[in-house]
Amino acid sequence: MPEITMPRLSDTMEEGVVVSWLKQVGDPVEQGEILAEIETDKALMELEAYDSGVLEQILAGEGARVPIGTPIGVIGDGSGTTASGPNGGTPAPAEEQAPAGHGAEPDTRPVPAVTVTEPTVDSRATVRRKKTSPLARKIADELGVDITTVVGTGPGGRIIRQDVESAHRAAELDPPRKVVPALPSEVSAPAAGDYEEIPLTTIQRVSATRLTESKQQAPHIYLTNAIDVTDLFDFRAQVNATLAQTGVKVSVNDLLLKAVAVTLRNNPAVNVSFAGDKLLRHRGIDLGMAVATPAGLLVPVLRDADRKSVSEIAAESRDKAERARERKLRTDEMSGGTFTISNLGMFGIEHFTAVINPPEAAILAVGAATDELRLDDGEVVTRKILRVTMSADHRAIDGAVAAQFLQQLKDLLEHPLRIVT
């Protein structure tokens, strides 16, 4: 019977959470039908059926966190349909099943696996024979990869060449570490009842891991510039007056996105990623735009932002921000960014530093514009001042290169007509 396995739905996905089953045990299934909703590290995704038949078993109930390649259900011809459990088709937990005694009928209901044991030599041979392609075995032998530790993402959990190569790359980037026993802490744990445990969402868990790695591996340097945006605010008012009949409304952040895109186009040395013994200089300028959502921080990407008009950026950024909060963005709309902007100005934050979003090499933190006194030809005047701070990976971007980028961005924002010309 074809198994339904947890698929790899994004490049960084290691496990998924079964949010809901749209089919229940005993329901007929057609190839291409949506079976369940899966939460990845980036979005809510729909799981399609690869085979037609009847949903005979649900092995992972709603809320279950499952590694990629692990079976979560079974589709058959209907002859082996099991009885529904108490949770709408999910088999009953093992502790709820009565043990078979002398003279009792054996319980034939499937018991979902709750532990993973090391396979024996014979079972390993079975895994190799039934769920591993010959090419994958050959590549594994050449690279020295233990194929029994590789998670398959092919049909039915089959291990394919890409799985072996991904495992080899992961081993090179993250070799086994020596485990050092933790010293006993002198800080006592909070008393029971003094706190509430709130499980992290998948997005929060992945963000915590990736941003910790970013701070540990990428030597951050920080550069701050104060920009007079008085004329930028006036220019924005003129643009919105011109676009009044179109229904498009441009924000200061939209103008900032366009200005950053233009500045990146003129400074390709900033539009890079660090890759060990080389730099990857990206041809496209794909801007990430940090958006706070109830599930955690998401970063929609605006492709080729330097080639788009301010009104196009305004419409696209608003649409993607709304869909990010509703968890309706596709995975490809949140991957492949080359530079990210994080704006906390709407919360009144005047200055902050942001953590680089790997594999990018830089991120721009934008604060609120505030009224400040300045000298203009010997006279004290009030101007709107905006502070931006660039965090850069010093392995990929030198301080002088980052400073030149900020200098050109400041000049562009202080002469906003140049943004659209």
Side-chain angles (χ1 to χ4, degrees):
M1 292 184 290
E3 290 182 334
I4 307 166
T5 58
M6 178 62 71
R8 185 190 298 273
L9 298 173
S10 73
D11 294 338
T12 57
M13 178 181 173
E14 296 180 355
E15 60 184 13
V17 176
V18 180
V19 176
S20 64
W21 282 96
L22 305 182
K23 293 284 187 178
Q24 300 302 323
V25 170
D27 289 350
V29 175
E30 295 293 333
Q31 183 179 11
E33 273 194 291
I34 305 303
L35 293 174
E37 290 183 323
I38 304 296
E39 181 186 30
T40 72
D41 56 330
K42 294 181 178 179
L44 284 178
M45 307 291 289
E46 295 178 335
L47 175 63
E48 293 185 3
Y50 292 102
D51 300 281
S52 298
V54 174
L55 182 59
E56 294 198 344
Q57 294 183 44
I58 291 178
L59 303 179
E62 295 180 358
R65 191 180 299 277
V66 184
I68 58 174
T70 302
I72 61 175
V74 175
I75 292 178
D77 57 8
S79 60
T81 303
T82 59
S84 298
N87 297 319
T90 303
E95 60 268 22
E96 295 181 10
Q97 300 181 14
H102 294 292
E105 289 294 327
D107 191 344
T108 59
R109 291 178 297 173
V111 180
V114 295
T115 59
V116 179
T117 58
E118 181 69 16
T120 63
V121 174
D122 291 340
S123 65
R124 286 181 179 179
T126 301
V127 171
R128 287 171 180 261
R129 182 173 63 255
K130 292 185 177 181
K131 292 190 176 183
T132 308
S133 71
L135 179 59
R137 291 197 297 271
K138 178 181 177 182
I139 297 297
D141 291 339
E142 292 176 352
L143 298 178
V145 174
D146 182 358
I147 203 164
T148 62
T149 65
V150 178
V151 177
T153 60
R158 184 179 179 87
I159 298 173
I160 58 178
R161 173 180 180 175
Q162 289 86 341
D163 300 327
V164 176
E165 293 175 342
S166 296
H168 178 64
R169 287 195 297 270
E172 288 184 332
L173 294 174
D174 189 19
R177 297 179 175 86
K178 181 179 179 180
V179 178
V180 180
L183 295 175
S185 173
E186 297 180 358
V187 181
S188 59
D194 287 349
Y195 60 88
E196 176 187 1
E197 290 188 359
I198 303 175
L200 294 178
T201 65
T202 303
I203 293 174
Q204 290 171 328
R205 294 174 67 253
V206 172
S207 294
T209 300
R210 289 171 58 82
L211 295 181
T212 298
E213 292 174 352
S214 176
K215 288 290 287 186
Q216 292 175 340
Q217 299 174 9
H220 286 50
I221 56 172
Y222 306 99
L223 299 88
T224 301
N225 213 337
I227 304 172
D228 186 338
V229 291
T230 307
D231 293 341
L232 183 71
F233 273 69
D234 294 338
F235 179 71
R236 177 212 174 204
Q238 295 174 18
V239 170
N240 282 334
T242 303
L243 298 174
Q245 295 182 348
T246 67
V248 177
K249 190 173 182 180
V250 173
S251 67
V252 171
N253 194 63
D254 297 327
L255 291 169
L256 184 64
L257 287 166
K258 176 64 175 180
V260 168
V262 172
T263 309
L264 283 172
R265 184 176 61 200
N266 297 330
N267 292 267
V270 177
N271 199 44
V272 298
S273 295
F274 181 79
D277 59 348
K278 57 183 175 291
L279 294 180
L280 305 180
R281 181 171 291 182
H282 305 289
R283 293 188 176 91
I285 296 174
D286 302 325
L287 288 186
M289 179 182 64
V291 177
T293 75
L297 190 67
L298 293 177
V299 186
V301 176
L302 308 179
R303 307 285 179 195
D304 297 318
D306 60 317
R307 301 180 184 179
K308 294 176 178 175
S309 66
V310 174
S311 59
E312 289 175 330
I313 288 176
E316 183 177 349
S317 63
R318 187 166 292 104
D319 169 67
K320 287 187 174 179
E322 291 176 356
R323 289 194 288 122
R325 297 185 187 98
E326 297 171 356
R327 301 296 305 278
K328 293 182 178 179
L329 285 175
R330 300 188 308 273
T331 301
D332 64 293
E333 293 179 300
M334 294 180 288
S335 59
T338 61
F339 187 99
T340 293
I341 297 175
S342 179
N343 191 340
L344 293 179
M346 67 287 294
F347 299 107
I349 302 301
E350 297 181 13
H351 170 261
F352 70 104
T353 57
V355 181
I356 298 169
N357 184 26
E360 300 169 16
I363 185 171
L364 190 71
V366 182
T370 58
D371 291 330
E372 298 184 15
L373 298 179
R374 290 288 189 269
L375 281 176
D376 184 11
D377 292 334
E379 295 184 2
V380 177
V381 296
T382 301
R383 307 290 291 181
K384 288 190 177 297
I385 305 299
L386 176 74
R387 284 176 173 78
V388 299
T389 298
M390 180 176 175
S391 305
D393 183 346
H394 213 336
R395 300 173 301 177
I397 301 174
D398 292 335
V401 173
Q404 182 178 6
F405 172 85
L406 282 184
Q407 185 182 46
Q408 292 185 16
L409 179 62
K410 172 184 172 75
D411 184 66
L412 201 60
L413 292 173
E414 291 184 346
H415 301 86
L417 190 58
R418 298 178 186 174
I419 297 175
V420 296
T421 57

